[in-house]
Amino acid sequence: MNLSTISVQSIKRAVNFNAGPAALPLPVLERIREELLDWRGTGMSVMEMSHRSPEFEGIAARAEAGLRKHLAIPDDYAVIFLQGGGSLQFTMVPMNLCMPGKPVDLLHTGMWTGKALGELKKGILHRVSASTEALKFMRLPRKEEISLSPDASYVYLCTNNTIEGTQWHALPDTGNVPLVADMSSDIASRSMDVKKFGLIFAGAQKNLGPSGATVVIIRRDLAERADKNLPTVLQYRTHIKERSLYHTPPTFAIYVIGLVMEWIEAEGGVAAIEKRNEAKAKLLYDAIDSSGGYYTCPVEKSSRSKMNVVFRVAAGVDEALEKKFLEEAAAAGIVGIAGHRSVGGMRVSLYNAVTLEAVEALISFLREFRRTRG
């Protein structure tokens, strides 16, 4: 078979709502396919290049430049590409940013902040400054429920909680204390003032590219807090100084991030992406809320995520029916909508690459399932 003769038109693409790794923009996938065997006349795939080559250094520089442009990252912030996912950052952030006698203030809003909290419990001075665990994380903490320390090393939160389906729409005021955010699931999905944060990290596999790369955006002065006796590879300053080339970086993932930045540019920038994301979320929430209770979203409306929509079928009282829902969705070519194993139900991830047409196809399925099964 001559693979070069296969067209996108001959490939049946799934309606993909996976939570991460997630859908990538079709133009990006087409560009990857076009350049896979021979990147711009080099006779090599990006996967085969030396990370020290001028070709790859150019690829990494363009990926960084794209992030800087679309996220409006100031010059006093460094952008680095790391490995280890967001999970490594649960450890790396306190190792680098904690100061003696100054606690970490954590806002506990779900499983991912819980994992970060678990690492802090291994000997890092910390406070849970607010938590909605008693409410099963079905909303975010209200302003009056948050108690922050004026002398904290930093305040930590997760901007979007993929499992619980909640998202911060207004950030807490941390004063002069740096705000650190796990932004893995909503980075580049909406306009955000980077200057409000001391550090942002994001696994690429939801809105930025494939799995394997983690983007860290850090105010340069904060990178100097770290003890120089920390393991070299775990110091942010190492990767800033070496421009993410201290050791072999995830080269192909960085290349794809650069392509996604070009796609965002072609789509009209983050402002246009945000507008479309709002439209997608509104369509789906309206369909759920207008179903007469057949589909229900447990999240308080003010906390609802525009990236991850969670809901139950028939109030979740019939697991066999929800299993049938998933089976029939898969038969219709709709994938990735099962809720996280820890909570069950359904979860629809509406990341940047998910099209409005995909959401409309899902809503048509929801209505038909309700008509035939309700």
Side-chain angles (χ1 to χ4, degrees):
M1 179 183 291
N2 185 353
L3 294 179
S4 64
T5 65
I6 298 178
S7 67
V8 169
Q9 286 73 25
S10 68
I11 300 171
K12 182 175 176 57
R13 299 276 297 160
V15 182
N16 183 359
F17 296 106
N18 275 312
L24 284 165
L26 187 56
V28 169
L29 293 172
E30 291 174 328
R31 178 84 169 275
I32 292 168
R33 185 177 67 171
E34 177 186 326
E35 297 181 338
L36 188 61
L37 300 182
D38 179 10
W39 185 83
R40 302 187 186 182
T42 61
M44 295 179 289
S45 170
V46 173
M47 287 185 282
E48 302 173 294
M49 286 178 185
S50 167
H51 63 292
R52 303 286 182 189
S53 68
E55 290 84 2
F56 179 73
E57 288 193 11
I59 287 169
R62 283 188 290 276
E64 178 181 338
L67 285 163
R68 285 191 177 277
K69 177 178 181 178
H70 294 302
L71 303 183
I73 302 171
D75 290 342
D76 58 336
Y77 285 72
V79 178
I80 50 179
F81 300 104
L82 303 181
Q83 299 174 70
S87 297
L88 178 60
Q89 296 307 305
F90 300 155
T91 297
M92 201 165 167
V93 170
M95 285 180 75
N96 282 262
L97 299 192
C98 278
M99 297 186 292
K102 295 180 179 290
V104 174
D105 278 359
L106 181 139
L107 304 178
H108 188 20
T109 55
M111 178 175 285
W112 294 112
T113 55
K115 288 182 179 293
L117 178 60
E119 297 305 310
L120 293 176
K121 288 179 177 178
K122 296 175 181 179
I124 303 293
L125 184 64
H126 66 277
R127 295 172 65 249
V128 176
S129 295
S131 173
T132 52
E133 186 171 12
L135 303 172
K136 298 184 178 179
F137 301 119
M138 287 301 97
R139 66 166 174 84
L140 295 175
R142 299 191 174 109
K143 184 177 180 180
E144 63 272 16
E145 296 171 339
I146 299 172
S147 171
L148 299 177
S149 312
D151 65 338
S153 288
Y154 61 88
V155 176
Y156 181 94
L157 57 71
C158 180
T159 52
N160 183 77
N161 298 282
T162 57
I163 294 170
E164 296 79 16
T166 62
Q167 185 177 30
W168 289 90
H169 300 298
L171 295 170
D173 181 3
T174 63
N176 294 322
V177 176
L179 179 60
V180 172
D182 175 355
M183 211 177 281
S184 294
S185 53
D186 63 352
I187 192 168
S189 71
R190 55 178 174 166
S191 299
M192 189 72 79
D193 185 358
V194 171
K195 296 189 294 295
K196 290 183 177 180
F197 301 87
L199 184 150
I200 294 167
F201 68 85
Q205 67 274 10
K206 301 176 191 296
N207 275 325
L208 298 180
S211 59
T214 304
V215 172
V216 174
I217 302 164
I218 180 172
R219 214 174 69 205
R220 294 179 189 273
D221 64 299
L222 293 179
E224 296 305 319
R225 281 188 180 182
D227 187 326
K228 292 183 179 178
N229 288 318
L230 283 179
T232 307
V233 75
L234 295 178
Q235 295 183 41
Y236 291 124
R237 63 163 69 91
T238 299
H239 302 283
I240 295 169
K241 179 183 176 183
E242 300 295 335
R243 296 175 296 115
S244 303
L245 296 172
Y246 171 72
H247 56 175
T248 307
T251 55
F252 198 77
I254 293 170
Y255 157 67
V256 179
I257 291 171
L259 296 185
V260 171
M261 292 302 106
E262 292 181 22
W263 172 76
I264 289 176
E265 176 76 15
E267 292 293 304
V270 170
I273 295 287
E274 180 175 18
K275 186 176 180 180
R276 188 167 64 208
N277 286 338
E278 288 175 349
K280 292 185 301 188
K282 185 177 188 307
L283 270 180
L284 185 50
Y285 281 120
D286 284 352
I288 292 167
D289 293 340
S290 64
S291 68
Y294 190 74
Y295 302 112
T296 53
C297 174
V299 179
E300 188 174 286
K301 286 188 177 182
S302 63
S303 295
R304 285 180 173 181
S305 169
K306 293 175 182 174
M307 290 285 97
N308 306 96
V309 177
V310 297
F311 66 94
R312 302 303 299 242
V313 180
V317 297
D318 187 343
E319 289 187 9
L321 183 65
E322 290 196 322
K323 183 178 179 182
K324 188 68 176 174
F325 179 89
L326 291 169
E327 290 171 352
E328 293 192 12
I334 298 170
V335 301
I337 61 172
H340 190 270
R341 61 188 178 277
S342 64
V343 295
M346 308 299 152
R347 171 177 57 176
V348 178
S349 298
L350 301 176
Y351 301 133
N352 290 352
V354 174
T355 64
L356 196 61
E357 292 76 18
V359 178
E360 289 168 344
L362 175 63
I363 290 170
S364 293
F365 173 78
L366 291 176
R367 289 171 177 159
E368 181 62 15
F369 187 87
R370 178 190 172 198
R371 186 185 70 81
T372 58
R373 299 283 175 180

